[in-house]
Amino acid sequence: MRDHGGNLDSAAALFGGAVEDWLDLSTGINRVPYPMPRLPARALTALPDAAAEARLLAAARVAFRTEAPMLAVAGAQAAIQLVPRLTPPGRARVLGPTYNEHAASLRAAGWQVEEVSELAALEGADLAVLVNPNNPDGRRHPPETLRALLPRVGRLLVDESFGDPLPDLSLAPEAGVPGHLVLRSFGKFYGLAGLRLGFVLGSAEDVAALARMAGPWAVSGPAIAAGTVALADRDWAETTTARLEAEGPRLDALAARMGWRLAGGAHLFRLYDTPDARAAQDHLARARIWSRIFPWSDRLIRLGLPGGEAEWARLDAAFGEGMR
């Protein structure tokens, strides 16, 4: 099993309580979600049609500021599993540590995978993969740096799942060139992860090949309908970005009371260096607050941002108790 956040059933089994009792800060999913629009009955009763999907893609192109060919899929995860099948397996390099599904999906498809720690080490790979901004440390790579990398690899995959608040960081506007793929998530920034909606952008040839692999009705009717409305609401996106920018330092101040040091992060999550990550997670878990720790580090813990004052007060109380 590959470890992920969001595993509240495991948290409840270890520490007690019902899943509904827990505050889940173990993911980078926005806890102040987009208000779910009223869905037309047809979104639930009919198979998704081409016109509805075209409206979704039109809204996504405006939101991502791009005219590149694009495919809607059932979450960015679906694209992560499809991309390794675009070409015969070869040598892949993944800039890490990062979201573990990239390397795992490549290995499952027969690729030779090397995880590297420096951007320059991606050069020469048949497929180079990086997350920008990175999960979990928030590392960012400017577009001009990634453009320079593109001719030095066979194909470059840039996962921008946490990129919505940083449009100037995105390579989506130029994703239509051969050998370049960009992934975008919907569920994280819009807080509607259960809809399972994401996008893959690339050359016309690559997007057509991915569409053939994904098959018909790759995205549900409710995801298409809700995504079309949400992506078109730029006022909500701007307000949400401003809120997240203000609340990151607020979380840092709470963590500092515990003696935790900021080690990185993005708009939707923060990464902290602690004396003992497992002890830190256990401390929060006793207050029914779930966090994310990593099998490759015994010091790092990641927290998503609370949603609303009641959740902030709950986290404040847990931090105020101090480590036992």
Side-chain angles (χ1 to χ4, degrees):
M1 293 292 291
R2 303 194 284 264
D3 66 295
H4 298 97
N7 53 335
L8 285 186
D9 50 353
S10 298
L14 285 171
F15 296 96
V19 168
E20 294 77 12
D21 300 330
W22 284 76
L23 169 56
D24 187 8
L25 301 183
S26 68
T27 75
I29 298 168
N30 189 354
R31 291 196 59 80
V32 185
Y34 187 83
M36 187 71 176
R38 183 179 181 86
L39 300 180
R42 181 174 174 78
L44 291 165
T45 60
L47 289 170
D49 59 42
E53 186 169 349
R55 290 190 293 270
L56 170 66
L57 294 179
R61 288 192 177 96
V62 173
F64 304 155
R65 306 194 304 185
T66 185
E67 292 297 326
M70 185 187 314
L71 175 69
V73 290
Q77 178 63 38
I80 290 170
Q81 293 173 223
L82 289 174
V83 167
R85 297 165 51 197
L86 264 178
T87 60
R91 296 172 299 122
R93 292 178 184 152
V94 179
L95 184 64
T98 194
Y99 182 53
N100 60 29
E101 285 295 330
H102 284 289
S105 295
L106 286 161
R107 290 190 177 105
W111 286 74
Q112 297 176 353
V113 181
E114 179 184 3
E115 296 187 48
V116 300
S117 60
E118 299 294 334
L119 189 69
L122 294 173
E123 293 185 13
D126 298 314
L127 174 61
V129 179
L130 62 94
V131 180
N132 195 37
N134 190 48
N135 171 21
D137 60 13
R139 282 178 297 169
R140 302 175 188 180
H141 303 281
E144 57 270 20
T145 301
L146 300 185
R147 290 188 203 106
L149 177 64
L150 184 59
R152 297 181 172 90
V153 299
R155 180 177 270 107
L156 176 64
L157 173 64
V158 181
D159 182 345
E160 297 181 352
S161 288
F162 290 98
D164 291 80
L166 297 164
D168 291 339
L169 194 71
S170 176
L171 283 178
E174 52 203 86
V177 301
H180 183 202
L181 294 166
V182 172
L183 305 186
R184 296 295 295 248
S185 169
F186 172 81
K188 294 179 177 65
F189 181 70
Y190 289 88
L192 298 172
L195 281 176
R196 307 311 305 137
L197 177 61
F199 303 88
V200 55
L201 297 76
S203 68
E205 181 181 2
D206 282 349
V207 169
L210 290 167
R212 289 192 293 271
M213 287 188 279
W217 315 302
V219 180
S220 72
I224 291 172
T228 301
V229 173
L231 287 165
D233 193 342
R234 306 317 302 155
D235 289 341
W236 183 91
E238 291 175 6
T239 300
T240 296
T241 297
R243 174 182 61 80
L244 295 171
E245 287 174 348
E247 290 184 345
R250 182 179 180 182
L251 184 56
D252 296 341
L254 290 180
R257 286 169 24 192
M258 302 287 286
W260 299 356
R261 182 182 63 83
L262 180 65
H267 282 72
L268 285 165
F269 60 85
R270 308 299 261 191
L271 184 70
Y272 299 106
D273 185 7
T274 75
D276 185 330
R278 177 69 67 182
Q281 184 180 61
D282 289 355
H283 170 76
L284 292 174
R286 287 192 288 270
R288 303 288 190 267
I289 298 171
W290 196 227
S291 56
R292 178 82 161 95
I293 60 175
F294 306 93
W296 42 267
S297 173
D298 59 4
R299 295 180 61 91
L300 295 177
I301 187 169
R302 191 190 68 190
L303 292 178
L305 273 64
E309 288 304 318
E311 292 189 1
W312 279 102
R314 186 170 170 182
L315 185 61
D316 180 83
F319 279 148
E321 293 177 358
M323 294 285 289
R324 293 196 292 259

